Amino acid sequence: MTDPDLSDLSALVAVAQTRNFRAAATMRGVSASALSEAIRRLEARIGVRLLNRTTRSVTPTEAGKLLIERLTPALGEIAGALDSMNSFRDSPTGTLKLNVPVIVAERILPPIINAFLAAHPGITLEITASDTFIDVLAAGFDAGIRYDERIERDMIAIPIGPPTQRFVAAAAPSYLSAHGVPAHPRDLVNHACIRHRFSSGYIPHWEFERNGQVIKVTPKGPLIASTAEMEVKAAIDGLGLVYTFEEFLAEALASGALVAVLSPYWQSFTGPRLYYPSRKHMPAPLRAFVDFIKASAKSPSK
């Protein structure tokens, strides 16, 4: 039996972590067919089936579990050894993979990552924007960005971007002229509301707050969308009220295309946080990014 290729062994661990060939292929930057061929090649060389495959799932066999348990720390040591070479370079190299919410990817990260990449030309930053909360490590990401209530307690989290954000309610002047201006969140039951559906299928309530009292409203209206861009455009066109991150509405509010309503009841919350696992050997690209974010927070110009 010839010795298995290291990349094939790494492919096995990736598939076992994600339990999905397509997700593992995306994580490794290869096609699903290439990954499947790597597993077949590995099984042929070892002479043992390592994965049970069905149309719905991929699970390790008993032999696969044993091999993966031994491989995972070994591959981690190899990656750490290679990454340690970064200490001999003027600037670290490698790829940093982040999973972040859409609002962060579109409105918060651009100026941050532009400055970071200018300071670290040897690093490639790969960003996946998703509002679905996932196990970032199992999915092959180095770190994630989320809001406090969605961060696991065993993670290290540091602020990134604005310390606070808020949701803003607004509508087009034409809509308000035709339907009136709501004076209280409860008035929204008599208004058309443009709602948001997350990729998980969840349609959130609208939450407002004043003097410590939280007011939840179940909005109704003619449109349920999955992107803020579509929701804001619909509001500008007079379809109804929108309630979303202030950053998404700033331009329309400044131009007068939208008018803010219910401002005493807007809900503020803590800004996003970069989170990552506590581990002894942090990959150099992630360490550089964490150090950059911490240094930026201390800078008086920020």
Side-chain angles (χ1 to χ4, degrees):
M1 179 185 72
T2 58
D3 291 336
D5 189 277
L6 185 61
S7 63
D8 291 350
L9 295 171
S10 179
L12 172 66
V13 173
V15 174
Q17 287 177 335
T18 60
R19 301 298 176 96
N20 184 285
F21 272 92
R22 190 175 299 278
T26 300
M27 180 175 75
R28 292 175 59 80
V30 298
S31 67
S33 59
L35 199 59
S36 181
E37 176 57 31
I39 301 301
R40 284 196 294 268
R41 186 168 54 242
L42 179 60
E43 289 177 330
R45 287 182 176 176
I46 295 177
V48 175
R49 176 176 285 277
L50 301 171
L51 297 174
N52 290 318
R53 308 166 182 82
T54 70
T55 56
R56 295 186 178 183
S57 65
V58 180
T59 57
T61 63
E62 286 302 314
K65 288 180 182 178
L66 180 61
L67 180 58
I68 290 162
E69 287 175 359
R70 299 288 297 273
L71 279 177
T72 302
L75 290 173
E77 286 296 320
I78 292 173
L82 293 174
D83 189 68
S84 68
M85 295 299 99
N86 273 308
S87 62
F88 294 93
R89 301 187 179 100
D90 293 334
S91 178
T93 63
T95 299
L96 173 60
K97 296 183 178 182
L98 301 178
N99 185 282
V100 310
V102 173
I103 175 66
V104 172
E106 293 184 358
R107 302 304 169 103
I108 294 175
L109 272 186
I112 295 173
I113 63 175
N114 291 345
F116 171 71
L117 292 175
H120 298 282
I123 292 177
T124 298
L125 189 56
E126 185 176 324
I127 296 174
T128 297
S130 171
D131 289 325
T132 300
F133 189 75
I134 63 170
D135 184 336
V136 293
L137 299 183
F141 295 96
D142 298 296
I145 296 177
R146 285 296 182 272
Y147 292 85
D148 277 344
E149 70 275 11
R150 303 306 303 272
I151 297 177
E152 298 293 336
R153 296 184 180 275
D154 60 348
M155 294 285 179
I156 297 174
I158 62 171
I160 183 171
T164 60
Q165 290 178 266
R166 62 182 179 178
F167 273 17
V168 168
S174 60
Y175 176 88
L176 297 175
S177 177
H179 301 280
V181 179
H184 190 279
R186 295 192 186 93
D187 295 340
L188 294 177
V189 297
N190 299 315
H191 283 271
C193 298
I194 300 165
R195 293 169 288 171
H196 181 81
R197 183 193 296 274
F198 289 101
S199 56
S200 64
Y202 175 64
I203 301 175
H205 299 291
W206 287 7
E207 288 192 7
F208 298 86
E209 185 177 359
R210 189 176 189 183
N211 299 325
Q213 181 185 10
V214 176
I215 305 165
K216 291 186 178 182
V217 176
T218 301
K220 295 182 179 180
L223 177 65
I224 300 173
S226 61
T227 68
E229 182 179 4
M230 183 180 294
E231 294 157 27
V232 174
K233 180 63 167 60
I236 291 173
D237 290 343
L239 198 61
L241 291 108
V242 64
Y243 188 51
T244 187
F245 286 95
E246 183 175 14
E247 289 84 352
F248 284 139
L249 299 177
E251 184 177 340
L253 289 171
S255 69
L258 290 178
V259 176
V261 298
L262 299 172
S263 58
Y265 299 92
W266 292 346
Q267 189 177 56
S268 296
F269 45 89
T270 303
R273 291 176 177 268
L274 172 72
Y275 71 99
Y276 51 94
S278 174
R279 50 188 174 189
K280 185 177 181 180
H281 301 294
M282 185 185 298
L286 177 57
R287 167 54 64 193
F289 190 60
V290 169
D291 290 344
F292 180 84
I293 296 304
K294 289 181 176 179
S296 298
K298 293 177 181 179
S299 173
S301 62
K302 299 294 181 182

